Amino acid sequence: MARANYLITALSIHIIWLLLLSKPCSALAPKTSRSFPAILIFGDSTVDTGNNNFIPTIFKANYWPYGKDFPGHVATGRFSDGKLIPDMVASKLGIKELVPPFLDPKLSDDDVKTGVSFASAGTGVDDLTAAISKVIPTMKQIDMFKNYIQRLQRIVGVDESKRIIGSALTVISVGTNDLTYNFYDIPTRQLQYNISGYQEFLQNRLQSLIKEIYQLGCRTIVVAGLPPIGCLPIQETISSPIPLNRRCLEYQNKDAEAYNQKLSKLLGSLQPQLPGSTLLYADIYTPLMDMINNPKKYGFEQTNIGCCGTGLVEAGPLCNKVIPTCEDPSKYMFWDSIHPSEATYKFVTESLLNQFSDRLN
């Protein structure tokens, strides 16, 4: 009876979370010798530095305890306890310390010149994903980018604008929500595709996104692969009726690995079609799996629950000021049941800069 009650509770909370989304309303990584004047970001909550603060969605993180370890302990809209990878990469590359959201009405001209994030938490390359959470579809982020270009041209002129965009580091991080929302947890797309077919659908959309931003002037484009989705705390909780038996879902991880292999090949074949481009596949799966398999190496005590609340289901509006948090988020791989902690992002950033140290020279 206790096991059954736990399963009902866990699934009920997750269903509530999905229904909420459907309602309207460390060692330093090596420095690269190449200089980037700006950084431009497209994608989901892994790289949204606060755009969702300015749109009518409940999928926000501009309240406590989000931002607990951010400078000034401010909740900025970043889905973590502190900084995200775009902030860390921009800092390590000497661009700036924090990457602002493009939709911030207080965005300064100086910040425009050095780059922004167009990302929107809860989105995906599949428009159905954004429709569920009422956020900005990835392809609509192109429209934001066009508005950004117009503002940049007013600030520095057309020629300098082209130089900045052509020399900028562009990052795309998206795809996890498509699989969790539309294929695993609410299997809408399973009515149309098997997993291989859905991955092909997603990567065709992603290819269109890459071509669009290339046509708008971007030349160095980093595209992140998927994480081990089956090891997200929320995914483990959904699958297991017993807390102590929660473990990574191997089939979801294998799906992510297959997606990543296809993505790496896609970028390799696409680059020759885009003269002057550098397309880089960012492997985030490997470093994250290493953290899961070797937690002590990274100082982690918990790798399958989040720091917020029970760590089993809390994320977004379910992780709020009345929910207790762990004492030291740096000992947790995950901040909430979906998103990594700042400590995890630091290790991933180090791994990424190591991966690209030669290609970015």
Side-chain angles (χ1 to χ4, degrees):
M1 180 64 70
R3 293 181 180 181
N5 288 340
Y6 171 78
L7 176 58
I8 292 170
T9 301
L11 290 177
S12 296
I13 293 174
H14 185 64
I15 290 169
I16 290 170
W17 167 236
L18 292 172
L19 288 174
L20 284 171
L21 293 179
S22 68
K23 290 182 179 180
C25 29
S26 150
L28 294 178
K31 292 274 187 179
T32 59
S33 61
R34 182 170 171 182
S35 176
F36 294 96
I39 185 168
L40 302 169
I41 308 293
F42 299 83
D44 57 23
S45 60
T46 56
V47 290
D48 178 4
T49 57
N51 283 307
N52 278 17
N53 297 349
F54 308 103
I55 63 174
T57 177
I58 63 163
F59 206 7
K60 302 176 188 286
N62 57 347
Y63 49 83
W64 189 264
Y66 288 99
K68 178 179 180 179
D69 296 307
F70 193 81
H73 310 291
V74 179
T76 61
R78 290 166 172 81
F79 278 80
S80 189
D81 57 309
K83 297 179 182 180
L84 303 182
I85 289 176
D87 304 310
M88 298 174 188
V89 169
S91 177
K92 293 290 178 68
L93 295 181
I95 301 171
K96 55 182 165 186
E97 289 303 306
L98 298 171
V99 179
F102 178 65
L103 294 183
D104 187 344
K106 297 180 181 178
L107 185 68
S108 70
D109 287 352
D110 284 341
D111 269 327
V112 171
K113 289 188 288 186
T114 51
V116 299
S117 172
F118 306 102
S120 179
T123 199
V125 287
D126 184 345
D127 286 345
L128 179 60
T129 307
I132 291 173
S133 47
K134 308 298 181 185
V135 296
I136 306 168
T138 307
M139 297 305 292
K140 288 292 184 182
Q141 293 173 26
I142 294 293
D143 294 333
M144 296 165 64
F145 184 33
K146 291 176 181 177
N147 292 335
Y148 165 86
I149 292 172
Q150 292 176 356
R151 180 170 174 182
L152 183 61
Q153 289 175 343
R154 291 195 296 268
I155 297 169
V156 300
V158 173
D159 290 343
E160 179 64 5
S161 171
K162 289 180 179 178
R163 186 197 71 81
I164 291 173
I165 293 171
S167 302
L169 177 65
T170 304
V171 179
I172 302 173
S173 177
V174 69
T176 300
N177 294 328
D178 294 308
L179 288 169
T180 57
Y181 290 0
N182 300 329
F183 204 83
Y184 299 137
D185 302 344
I186 305 178
T188 308
R189 289 302 192 191
Q190 286 192 32
L191 300 176
Q192 299 170 270
Y193 304 99
N194 59 22
I195 185 61
S196 181
Y198 190 49
Q199 290 176 351
E200 183 177 351
F201 168 80
L202 294 177
Q203 293 192 2
N204 284 338
R205 300 269 300 177
L206 184 59
Q207 184 173 197
S208 296
L209 173 66
I210 294 169
K211 288 180 176 179
E212 285 257 19
I213 62 178
Y214 172 84
Q215 292 299 328
L216 291 169
C218 298
R219 290 298 178 266
T220 302
I221 304 172
V222 175
V223 185
L226 296 179
I229 294 176
C231 294
L232 298 179
I234 188 67
Q235 296 304 105
E236 292 188 19
T237 299
I238 294 169
S239 70
S240 177
I242 307 171
L244 294 179
N245 287 354
R246 294 168 65 257
R247 56 178 54 85
C248 293
L249 307 178
E250 291 303 320
Y251 78 96
Q252 293 186 11
N253 286 350
K254 288 180 180 178
D255 289 346
E257 287 185 290
Y259 177 97
N260 292 340
Q261 290 171 2
K262 294 175 185 176
L263 176 60
S264 181
K265 291 180 181 178
L266 171 64
L267 297 177
S269 63
L270 184 58
Q271 182 171 304
Q273 302 176 38
L274 306 177
S277 70
T278 300
L279 305 184
L280 301 173
Y281 165 68
D283 176 14
I284 62 172
Y285 186 100
T286 300
L288 289 172
M289 279 305 300
D290 193 52
M291 294 177 212
I292 291 166
N293 293 328
N294 303 288
K296 292 182 179 179
K297 175 180 172 183
Y298 300 90
F300 291 136
E301 295 179 358
Q302 296 287 350
T303 60
N304 74 339
I305 61 172
C307 171
C308 186
T310 64
L312 301 175
V313 295
E314 293 86 354
L318 297 182
C319 177
N320 54 62
K321 64 182 180 180
V322 302
I323 301 296
T325 59
C326 66
E327 184 176 343
D328 186 356
S330 70
K331 294 181 180 179
Y332 282 67
M333 183 174 171
F334 290 94
W335 163 247
D336 60 23
S337 67
I338 299 173
H339 305 98
S341 64
E342 181 184 61
T344 297
Y345 281 138
K346 286 179 180 178
F347 291 124
V348 174
T349 298
E350 179 182 346
S351 173
L352 294 177
L353 292 179
N354 279 323
Q355 289 177 42
F356 303 141
S357 59
D358 294 334
R359 297 290 303 275
L360 295 181
N361 285 335

